[in-house]
Coordinates of all heavy atoms in Angstrom, one line a residue:
A254 N -14.5 -3.4 72.3 CA -14.4 -4.0 73.7 C -15.5 -5.0 73.7 O -16.4 -5.2 72.8 CB -14.6 -3.0 74.7
K255 N -15.5 -5.8 74.8 CA -16.6 -6.8 75.1 C -17.8 -6.1 75.8 O -17.6 -5.4 76.8 CB -16.0 -7.9 75.9 CG -14.9 -8.7 75.2 CD -14.6 -10.0 76.0 CE -13.5 -10.7 75.3 NZ -12.1 -10.1 75.5
Y256 N -18.9 -6.4 75.3 CA -20.1 -5.8 75.9 C -21.0 -7.0 76.5 O -21.1 -8.1 75.9 CB -21.0 -5.1 74.9 CG -20.4 -3.7 74.6 CD1 -19.2 -3.5 73.9 CD2 -21.1 -2.5 75.1 CE1 -18.7 -2.2 73.7 CE2 -20.5 -1.3 74.9 CZ -19.3 -1.1 74.2 OH -18.8 0.1 74.0
R257 N -21.6 -6.6 77.6 CA -22.6 -7.6 78.2 C -24.0 -7.1 77.6 O -24.5 -6.0 78.0 CB -22.6 -7.6 79.7 CG -23.6 -8.5 80.3 CD -23.5 -8.5 81.8 NE -24.3 -9.6 82.4 CZ -24.5 -9.7 83.7 NH1 -24.0 -8.8 84.6 NH2 -25.2 -10.8 84.1
V258 N -24.6 -7.9 76.8 CA -25.9 -7.6 76.2 C -26.9 -8.5 76.8 O -26.9 -9.8 76.6 CB -25.8 -7.7 74.7 CG1 -27.1 -7.4 74.0 CG2 -24.7 -6.8 74.1
R259 N -27.9 -8.0 77.5 CA -28.8 -8.8 78.3 C -30.2 -8.6 77.6 O -30.9 -7.6 77.7 CB -28.8 -8.3 79.7 CG -27.4 -8.3 80.3 CD -27.4 -7.8 81.7 NE -27.9 -8.9 82.6 CZ -27.9 -8.8 83.9 NH1 -27.4 -7.8 84.5 NH2 -28.4 -9.8 84.7
I260 N -30.6 -9.7 76.9 CA -31.8 -9.6 76.1 C -33.1 -10.2 76.8 O -33.0 -11.3 77.3 CB -31.6 -10.3 74.8 CG1 -30.6 -9.6 73.9 CG2 -32.9 -10.5 74.0 CD1 -30.2 -10.2 72.6
L261 N -34.1 -9.4 76.8 CA -35.5 -10.0 77.1 C -36.3 -10.0 75.9 O -36.4 -8.9 75.2 CB -36.2 -9.1 78.2 CG -37.7 -9.3 78.2 CD1 -38.1 -10.7 78.8 CD2 -38.4 -8.2 79.1
N262 N -36.8 -11.1 75.5 CA -37.8 -11.1 74.4 C -39.2 -10.8 75.1 O -39.8 -11.7 75.7 CB -37.9 -12.5 73.7 CG -39.0 -12.5 72.6 OD1 -39.7 -11.5 72.5 ND2 -39.1 -13.6 71.9
G263 N -39.5 -9.6 75.1 CA -40.8 -9.1 75.7 C -41.9 -9.0 74.7 O -42.9 -8.4 75.0
S264 N -41.8 -9.7 73.6 CA -42.8 -9.7 72.5 C -44.0 -10.6 73.0 O -43.8 -11.6 73.7 CB -42.3 -10.2 71.2 OG -41.1 -9.5 70.9
N265 N -45.2 -10.3 72.5 CA -46.3 -11.1 72.8 C -46.2 -12.5 72.2 O -46.6 -13.5 72.9 CB -47.6 -10.5 72.2 CG -48.2 -9.4 73.1 OD1 -47.4 -8.7 73.8 ND2 -49.5 -9.3 73.2
A266 N -45.7 -12.6 71.0 CA -45.8 -13.9 70.3 C -44.5 -14.2 69.5 O -44.3 -15.4 69.2 CB -47.0 -14.0 69.4
R267 N -43.8 -13.2 69.1 CA -42.7 -13.4 68.1 C -41.5 -14.1 68.8 O -41.0 -13.7 69.8 CB -42.3 -12.1 67.5 CG -41.3 -12.3 66.4 CD -40.9 -11.0 65.7 NE -42.0 -10.2 65.1 CZ -42.4 -10.5 63.8 NH1 -41.9 -11.5 63.2 NH2 -43.4 -9.8 63.3
I268 N -41.0 -15.1 68.1 CA -39.8 -15.8 68.5 C -38.6 -15.2 67.6 O -38.9 -14.9 66.4 CB -39.9 -17.3 68.2 CG1 -41.0 -17.9 69.0 CG2 -38.6 -18.0 68.5 CD1 -41.4 -19.3 68.5
Y269 N -37.5 -14.9 68.2 CA -36.4 -14.4 67.4 C -35.2 -15.4 67.4 O -35.0 -16.1 68.4 CB -35.8 -13.1 68.1 CG -36.8 -12.0 68.2 CD1 -37.7 -12.0 69.3 CD2 -36.9 -11.0 67.2 CE1 -38.7 -11.0 69.4 CE2 -37.9 -10.0 67.3 CZ -38.8 -10.0 68.4 OH -39.7 -9.0 68.5
N270 N -34.6 -15.5 66.3 CA -33.4 -16.4 66.1 C -32.2 -15.4 66.0 O -31.7 -15.1 64.9 CB -33.5 -17.2 64.9 CG -32.4 -18.2 64.8 OD1 -31.6 -18.4 65.7 ND2 -32.3 -18.9 63.6
F271 N -31.7 -14.9 67.2 CA -30.7 -13.9 67.2 C -29.4 -14.3 66.6 O -28.9 -15.4 66.9 CB -30.5 -13.3 68.6 CG -31.7 -12.6 69.1 CD1 -32.5 -13.1 70.2 CD2 -32.1 -11.4 68.5 CE1 -33.6 -12.4 70.7 CE2 -33.2 -10.7 69.0 CZ -34.0 -11.2 70.1
A272 N -28.8 -13.4 65.9 CA -27.4 -13.6 65.3 C -26.9 -12.3 65.0 O -27.6 -11.3 65.1 CB -27.5 -14.5 64.0
L273 N -25.6 -12.2 64.7 CA -24.9 -11.0 64.2 C -24.8 -11.0 62.7 O -24.5 -12.0 62.1 CB -23.6 -10.9 64.9 CG -23.6 -10.7 66.4 CD1 -22.2 -10.8 67.0 CD2 -24.3 -9.5 66.9
S274 N -25.0 -9.8 62.1 CA -25.0 -9.8 60.6 C -23.6 -10.1 60.1 O -23.5 -10.5 59.0 CB -25.4 -8.4 60.2 OG -24.5 -7.4 60.8
S275 N -22.6 -10.0 60.9 CA -21.2 -10.3 60.5 C -21.0 -11.8 60.4 O -20.0 -12.3 59.9 CB -20.2 -9.7 61.4 OG -20.5 -10.2 62.8
G276 N -22.0 -12.6 61.0 CA -21.8 -14.0 61.1 C -20.9 -14.4 62.3 O -20.7 -15.6 62.5
A277 N -20.4 -13.4 63.0 CA -19.5 -13.7 64.1 C -20.2 -14.4 65.2 O -21.4 -14.3 65.3 CB -18.9 -12.4 64.6
S278 N -19.5 -15.2 66.0 CA -20.1 -15.9 67.1 C -20.2 -14.9 68.3 O -19.5 -13.9 68.3 CB -19.4 -17.1 67.5 OG -18.1 -16.8 67.9
F279 N -21.0 -15.2 69.3 CA -21.0 -14.5 70.5 C -21.1 -15.5 71.6 O -21.2 -16.7 71.4 CB -22.1 -13.5 70.5 CG -23.5 -14.0 70.0 CD1 -24.4 -14.4 71.0 CD2 -23.8 -14.1 68.7 CE1 -25.7 -14.9 70.6 CE2 -25.0 -14.6 68.3 CZ -25.9 -15.0 69.2
T280 N -21.0 -15.0 72.9 CA -20.9 -15.9 74.0 C -22.1 -15.8 74.9 O -22.5 -14.7 75.4 CB -19.6 -15.6 74.8 OG1 -18.5 -15.6 73.9 CG2 -19.4 -16.7 75.8
L281 N -22.8 -16.9 75.1 CA -23.9 -17.0 76.0 C -23.5 -17.2 77.4 O -22.7 -18.2 77.7 CB -24.9 -18.1 75.5 CG -26.1 -18.3 76.4 CD1 -27.1 -17.1 76.2 CD2 -26.8 -19.6 76.0
I282 N -23.8 -16.3 78.4 CA -23.4 -16.6 79.7 C -24.5 -16.8 80.7 O -24.3 -17.2 81.9 CB -22.5 -15.4 80.3 CG1 -23.2 -14.1 80.2 CG2 -21.2 -15.3 79.4 CD1 -22.5 -13.0 81.0
G283 N -25.8 -16.5 80.3 CA -26.9 -16.6 81.2 C -28.2 -16.9 80.5 O -28.3 -16.6 79.4
S284 N -29.1 -17.4 81.3 CA -30.5 -17.7 80.8 C -31.5 -17.0 81.7 O -31.1 -16.1 82.5 CB -30.7 -19.2 80.7 OG -30.5 -19.8 81.9
D285 N -32.7 -17.5 81.7 CA -33.8 -16.9 82.5 C -33.4 -16.7 84.0 O -33.7 -15.7 84.5 CB -35.1 -17.8 82.5 CG -35.5 -18.1 81.1 OD1 -35.0 -17.4 80.1 OD2 -36.4 -18.9 80.9
G286 N -32.8 -17.7 84.5 CA -32.6 -17.7 86.0 C -31.1 -17.4 86.4 O -30.7 -17.8 87.4
G287 N -30.4 -16.7 85.5 CA -29.1 -16.3 85.9 C -28.0 -16.9 85.1 O -28.2 -17.5 84.1
L288 N -26.8 -16.9 85.7 CA -25.6 -17.4 84.9 C -25.6 -18.9 84.7 O -26.1 -19.7 85.5 CB -24.3 -17.1 85.8 CG -24.0 -15.6 85.9 CD1 -22.8 -15.5 87.0 CD2 -23.6 -15.0 84.6
L289 N -25.1 -19.2 83.5 CA -24.8 -20.6 83.2 C -23.6 -21.1 84.0 O -22.9 -20.2 84.5 CB -24.6 -20.8 81.7 CG -25.6 -20.3 80.7 CD1 -25.1 -20.6 79.3 CD2 -27.0 -20.9 81.0
A290 N -23.3 -22.4 84.0 CA -22.1 -22.9 84.7 C -20.9 -22.4 83.9 O -19.9 -22.0 84.5 CB -22.2 -24.4 84.8
T291 N -20.9 -22.5 82.6 CA -19.8 -22.1 81.8 C -20.3 -21.3 80.6 O -21.4 -21.5 80.1 CB -19.0 -23.3 81.3 OG1 -19.9 -24.2 80.5 CG2 -18.4 -24.2 82.4
P292 N -19.4 -20.5 80.0 CA -19.9 -19.7 78.8 C -20.0 -20.7 77.6 O -19.3 -21.7 77.5 CB -18.7 -18.8 78.6 CG -17.8 -18.8 79.8 CD -18.1 -20.1 80.4
K293 N -20.9 -20.3 76.7 CA -21.1 -21.2 75.5 C -21.1 -20.3 74.3 O -21.8 -19.3 74.2 CB -22.5 -21.8 75.5 CG -22.9 -22.5 76.8 CD -22.9 -24.0 76.7 CE -23.3 -24.7 77.9 NZ -22.3 -25.2 78.8
E294 N -20.2 -20.7 73.4 CA -20.1 -19.9 72.2 C -21.1 -20.3 71.2 O -21.3 -21.5 70.9 CB -18.7 -20.2 71.6 CG -18.4 -19.4 70.3 CD -17.1 -18.7 70.4 OE1 -16.6 -18.4 71.5 OE2 -16.5 -18.4 69.3
V295 N -21.9 -19.4 70.6 CA -22.9 -19.7 69.7 C -22.9 -18.7 68.5 O -22.3 -17.6 68.6 CB -24.3 -19.6 70.4 CG1 -24.5 -20.6 71.5 CG2 -24.6 -18.2 70.9
T296 N -23.5 -19.1 67.4 CA -23.6 -18.2 66.3 C -25.1 -17.7 66.1 O -25.3 -16.7 65.4 CB -23.2 -18.8 65.0 OG1 -23.8 -20.1 64.8 CG2 -21.7 -19.0 65.0
N297 N -26.0 -18.4 66.7 CA -27.4 -18.0 66.7 C -28.1 -18.6 67.9 O -27.7 -19.6 68.4 CB -28.1 -18.3 65.4 CG -28.2 -19.8 65.2 OD1 -27.2 -20.5 65.1 ND2 -29.5 -20.3 65.3
L298 N -29.2 -17.9 68.2 CA -29.9 -18.3 69.5 C -31.4 -18.1 69.3 O -31.8 -16.9 69.1 CB -29.3 -17.5 70.6 CG -29.5 -17.9 72.0 CD1 -28.8 -19.2 72.2 CD2 -28.9 -16.8 73.0
L299 N -32.2 -19.1 69.5 CA -33.6 -19.0 69.4 C -34.1 -18.5 70.8 O -33.8 -19.2 71.8 CB -34.2 -20.3 69.1 CG -35.5 -20.4 68.3 CD1 -35.3 -19.6 66.9 CD2 -35.9 -21.8 68.0
V300 N -34.9 -17.4 70.8 CA -35.4 -16.9 72.1 C -36.9 -16.6 72.0 O -37.3 -15.8 71.2 CB -34.6 -15.6 72.5 CG1 -35.2 -15.1 73.9 CG2 -33.1 -15.8 72.6
G301 N -37.7 -17.4 72.7 CA -39.1 -17.2 72.6 C -39.6 -16.2 73.6 O -38.9 -15.7 74.4
P302 N -40.9 -15.8 73.4 CA -41.5 -14.8 74.3 C -41.3 -15.1 75.8 O -41.6 -16.2 76.2 CB -43.0 -14.8 73.9 CG -43.0 -15.3 72.5 CD -41.8 -16.3 72.4
G303 N -40.8 -14.2 76.6 CA -40.6 -14.4 78.0 C -39.2 -14.8 78.4 O -38.8 -14.7 79.5
E304 N -38.5 -15.4 77.4 CA -37.2 -15.9 77.7 C -36.1 -14.8 77.7 O -36.3 -13.8 77.1 CB -36.7 -16.9 76.6 CG -37.5 -18.2 76.7 CD -36.9 -19.3 75.8 OE1 -36.9 -19.1 74.6 OE2 -36.4 -20.3 76.3
R305 N -35.0 -15.0 78.4 CA -33.9 -14.1 78.5 C -32.6 -14.7 78.1 O -32.4 -15.9 78.3 CB -33.8 -13.5 79.9 CG -34.8 -12.4 80.2 CD -36.0 -13.0 80.8 NE -35.9 -13.5 82.2 CZ -36.6 -14.4 82.8 NH1 -37.6 -15.0 82.1 NH2 -36.3 -14.8 84.0
A306 N -31.7 -13.9 77.5 CA -30.4 -14.4 77.1 C -29.4 -13.4 77.5 O -29.5 -12.2 77.1 CB -30.4 -14.7 75.6
D307 N -28.4 -13.8 78.3 CA -27.3 -12.9 78.7 C -26.1 -13.2 77.8 O -25.6 -14.3 77.8 CB -27.1 -13.2 80.2 CG -26.3 -12.1 80.9 OD1 -25.8 -11.2 80.3 OD2 -26.3 -12.2 82.2
L308 N -25.6 -12.2 77.1 CA -24.6 -12.4 76.1 C -23.4 -11.6 76.3 O -23.5 -10.4 76.9 CB -25.1 -12.1 74.7 CG -26.5 -12.6 74.3 CD1 -26.9 -12.0 72.9 CD2 -26.5 -14.1 74.3
I309 N -22.2 -12.1 75.9 CA -21.1 -11.2 75.8 C -20.8 -11.1 74.3 O -20.6 -12.1 73.6 CB -19.8 -11.8 76.5 CG1 -20.1 -12.0 78.0 CG2 -18.6 -11.0 76.2 CD1 -20.1 -10.7 78.8
I310 N -20.8 -9.9 73.7 CA -20.5 -9.7 72.3 C -19.2 -8.9 72.3 O -19.0 -7.9 72.9 CB -21.6 -8.9 71.6 CG1 -23.0 -9.6 71.8 CG2 -21.3 -8.6 70.2 CD1 -24.1 -8.9 71.0
D311 N -18.3 -9.4 71.5 CA -16.9 -8.9 71.5 C -16.7 -8.1 70.2 O -16.7 -8.6 69.1 CB -15.9 -10.1 71.5 CG -14.5 -9.6 71.6 OD1 -14.3 -8.4 71.6 OD2 -13.6 -10.5 71.7

Side-chain angles (χ1 to χ4, degrees):
K255 297 189 181 76
Y256 280 71
R257 183 179 189 188
V258 177
R259 310 181 72 173
I260 293 179
L261 159 68
N262 179 357
S264 307
N265 278 32
R267 188 180 294 281
I268 301 166
Y269 301 83
N270 186 14
F271 291 115
L273 296 172
S274 57
S275 58
S278 62
F279 48 96
T280 309
L281 179 69
I282 61 167
S284 58
D285 303 349
L288 292 171
L289 306 180
T291 56
K293 311 254 184 260
E294 180 129 337
V295 296
T296 50
N297 66 294
L298 198 63
L299 211 58
V300 181
E304 290 189 295
R305 283 87 73 205
D307 199 348
L308 314 175
I309 300 288
I310 302 183
D311 186 359

